[in-house]
Amino acid sequence: MGIKSEETKNETNHALAKISRRKLLLGGAATAAVALVKSSFGEIQTAIPESLYIPADPTKVQGPPPFDLGTRSPFERPLKKTSDTSSRTPLQDLYGTITPADLHYERHHGGVPTIDPEKYELLIHGMVEKPMIFTLADLKRFPAFSRICFLECSGNFRTGKEEMMPQEIAGLTSQSEWTGVMLSTLFREVGIKSKASWFLAEGSDAAVMTRSIPLQKGLQDGMIVYAQNGEAIRPQQGYPARLFLPGWEGNTSVKWIRRIEVSDQPYMTREETSKYTEGIKGGKIRQFSFDMDARSIITYPAYPVILQQGWVEIRGIAWTGRGKIVKVEVSTDAGKTWNSAKLQGPVMDKAHTYFRYLWNWRGDETEILSRAIDETGYIQPTMKQLMEARGRDMGGYHLNPITAWRIKRDGTVLFRPEGKA
Ligand SMILES: Nc1nc2c(c(=O)[nH]1)N[C@H]1C(S)=C(S)[C@@H](COP(=O)(O)O)O[C@H]1N2
Ligand SMILES: [Mo]
């Protein structure tokens, strides 16, 4: 078969798309109906089947040709759990540690703005030698840098009932390979004045999200990212560019960033005074709790899995905003004894780390738990320890308790809810 020009290939796809579903089912010439999807670039063809035709022998029928856009197997339907203002990554459906971009959790305070990349501008001003405006093309001309990191919302904990999946308990964390320009590069370009110590990051969404960030963090490993897992970041993640601060509470990674103002003090914005603070003991409030503490969660077996007796590979993810995970311990006897899980290498800084632990379940009722230990020596606490350390008014941010799964005799796996729902 000769090489087809792009044009004829598209024509073929188009023709295929027009074959009626009935014909496909009867004729068996192709295995799936084809959907036309409207995008801002016009019509594109995808192999999303309208109704699934499964040949008895796939070696005996010609399959559909390539399409402009790939799709998941129709047998796989991982979905985000959506509320009005957030959506959660289906941790229990994922393997390894990279979150497919369309399953990245979302948290929006004013919805997702549509920004024309041609008109996008980032202003850096304040205590700088030379205030500058960078277009997206300008940002892309600087040396690029890629890094695999998690991003986690500091409100990433839910509890309340036994029938909760990992996604519902801890689905506000996701991991991507982020690509962009180091903030230090941009700061060198504008020339930071020696007295400067903070900067304000401002988004161009309806919430005009603003956070004050210590200059030191920006210089250390802050980035302006424009790509995620090899493609332009998605609108939901801040298209065309966002701030990304590895290991810090998600709220500080301001999306759709349009302005950075360098100063010698924090700005005390709404998000860092009335919000994103935590009660601690003695009626005090803790402010600027930037680092995400070490945490882990077993994602298999977890609700709603029904477990079979015999060998089970317990799997999950562990992460810390303070560097690397050095150890994950798993208990299969409700926390009486702990054993080291295998960490999937290479273990990366400020990244979800996959862990596995082989266990022979003999059908007894028990609880399985995991706890993460990071390179600072920090050990993931129990909910009881958290409450003791922070006091009664600790609020809903920065909660990273050990998650326990109860295994019943019939193999049912249930979440053991703790803390305020
Ligand atoms: N401009 C802007 N930036 C923002 C937000 C927002 O609403 N607007 N939400 C913040 C919060 S609370 C979190 S947890 C992360 C979520 O990033 P994601 O939606 O890409 O997962 O973005 C942060 N940056
Ligand atoms: Mo968040």
Side-chain angles (χ1 to χ4, degrees):
M1 204 162 75
I3 299 166
K4 282 183 189 168
S5 73
E6 273 310 302
E7 216 170 56
T8 48
K9 217 162 92 189
N10 282 340
E11 267 169 30
T12 315
N13 282 354
H14 208 80
L16 240 175
K18 285 188 175 147
I19 300 173
S20 76
R21 212 182 81 206
R22 196 178 139 75
K23 216 166 170 184
L24 280 177
L25 295 178
L26 296 176
T31 54
V34 175
L36 280 180
V37 177
K38 280 228 189 299
S39 83
S40 47
F41 303 105
E43 275 184 345
I44 48 170
Q45 300 91 34
T46 78
I48 301 166
E50 285 157 9
S51 134
L52 200 57
Y53 166 70
I54 309 168
D57 180 354
T59 67
K60 296 289 183 279
V61 283
Q62 177 78 29
F67 294 98
D68 293 342
L69 197 61
T71 54
R72 286 202 174 95
S73 159
F75 299 102
E76 303 292 326
R77 299 252 170 95
L79 286 176
K80 298 202 263 191
K81 282 237 162 194
T82 312
S83 70
D84 283 353
T85 54
S86 66
S87 70
R88 311 169 76 87
T89 295
L91 300 174
Q92 68 283 349
D93 298 328
L94 302 185
Y95 306 90
T97 59
I98 296 289
T99 310
D102 61 358
L103 295 175
H104 196 287
Y105 86 89
E106 297 168 51
R107 175 75 182 96
H108 319 303
H109 294 240
V112 182
T114 303
I115 296 166
D116 180 348
E118 296 289 325
K119 299 207 176 102
Y120 173 81
E121 287 182 343
L122 169 63
L123 164 68
I124 305 186
H125 67 149
M127 293 177 72
V128 299
E129 299 298 340
K130 192 170 59 152
M132 288 178 82
I133 288 172
F134 301 94
T135 64
L136 187 61
D138 292 337
L139 294 177
K140 290 180 180 173
R141 280 188 68 188
F142 287 104
F145 186 77
S146 290
R147 178 167 184 186
I148 296 172
C149 279
F150 74 84
L151 178 69
E152 184 183 18
C153 177
S154 54
N156 190 22
F157 177 68
R158 268 205 205 159
T159 181
K161 58 175 194 224
E162 291 183 314
E163 298 82 11
M164 285 176 83
M165 300 186 278
Q167 171 173 33
E168 294 163 289
I169 300 160
L172 295 177
T173 189
S174 306
Q175 175 148 290
S176 304
E177 182 194 55
W178 302 100
T179 300
V181 50
M182 298 305 292
L183 256 187
S184 56
T185 305
L186 300 179
F187 283 162
R188 193 165 56 233
E189 206 68 13
V190 295
I192 302 288
K193 294 205 166 145
S194 61
K195 293 258 161 54
S197 52
W198 288 78
F199 68 89
L200 182 81
E202 181 184 88
S204 50
D205 52 334
V208 194
M209 172 67 62
T210 41
R211 285 295 304 257
S212 309
I213 311 295
L215 187 63
Q216 189 51 39
K217 175 66 177 175
L219 291 169
Q220 185 201 322
D221 59 3
M223 297 172 75
I224 299 294
V225 296
Y226 45 74
Q228 171 189 13
N229 296 345
E231 61 176 344
I233 56 170
R234 303 224 164 187
Q236 297 78 9
Q237 265 68 62
Y239 184 85
R242 83 181 299 167
L243 178 62
F244 184 71
L245 300 176
W248 279 24
E249 66 178 9
N251 188 260
T252 61
S253 283
V254 173
K255 299 189 274 193
W256 315 291
I257 190 163
R258 69 172 179 190
R259 191 168 73 91
I260 287 178
E261 187 175 337
V262 181
S263 74
D264 56 2
Q265 57 187 342
Y267 287 74
M268 300 299 171
T269 70
R270 188 186 85 110
E271 307 302 327
E272 54 208 27
T273 50
S274 72
K275 302 274 174 228
Y276 298 99
T277 59
E278 300 88 45
I280 49 168
K281 277 187 172 163
K284 290 186 178 166
I285 300 284
R286 183 171 86 172
Q287 193 183 24
F288 300 125
S289 9
F290 293 126
D291 291 294
M292 293 309 295
D293 291 316
R295 186 167 179 188
S296 68
I297 183 166
I298 292 170
T299 53
Y300 180 85
Y303 176 79
V305 164
I306 308 288
L307 203 59
Q308 305 280 311
Q309 273 191 44
W311 289 103
V312 181
E313 187 170 68
I314 295 175
R315 298 170 186 158
I317 49 168
W319 65 101
T320 171
R322 293 203 166 86
K324 286 181 184 161
I325 288 293
V326 291
K327 200 177 201 178
V328 175
E329 292 180 327
V330 168
S331 174
T332 55
D333 57 7
K336 284 189 215 67
T337 59
W338 294 87
N339 301 289
S340 283
K342 274 210 174 77
L343 300 187
Q344 177 67 59
V347 175
M348 286 175 291
D349 207 33
K350 299 166 187 170
H352 285 167
T353 301
Y354 202 46
F355 68 84
R356 310 190 305 265
Y357 179 77
L358 207 52
W359 174 49
N360 196 353
W361 183 53
R362 297 178 198 280
D364 304 323
E365 187 152 326
T366 189
E367 269 179 27
I368 57 170
L369 308 85
S370 66
R371 69 179 176 205
I373 300 159
D374 73 15
E375 64 177 270
T376 69
Y378 177 95
I379 304 172
Q380 183 183 0
T382 60
M383 181 51 98
K384 198 161 157 264
Q385 286 170 327
L386 267 177
M387 294 209 261
E388 275 164 17
R390 300 232 196 112
R392 278 192 7 238
D393 302 320
M394 62 180 183
Y397 296 125
H398 290 278
L399 299 179
N400 59 328
I402 288 175
T403 300
W405 298 105
R406 270 176 43 206
I407 318 273
K408 309 271 272 236
R409 272 182 199 288
D410 64 359
T412 310
V413 184
L414 294 169
F415 174 53
R416 190 186 73 196
E418 284 183 291
K420 274 186 251 173

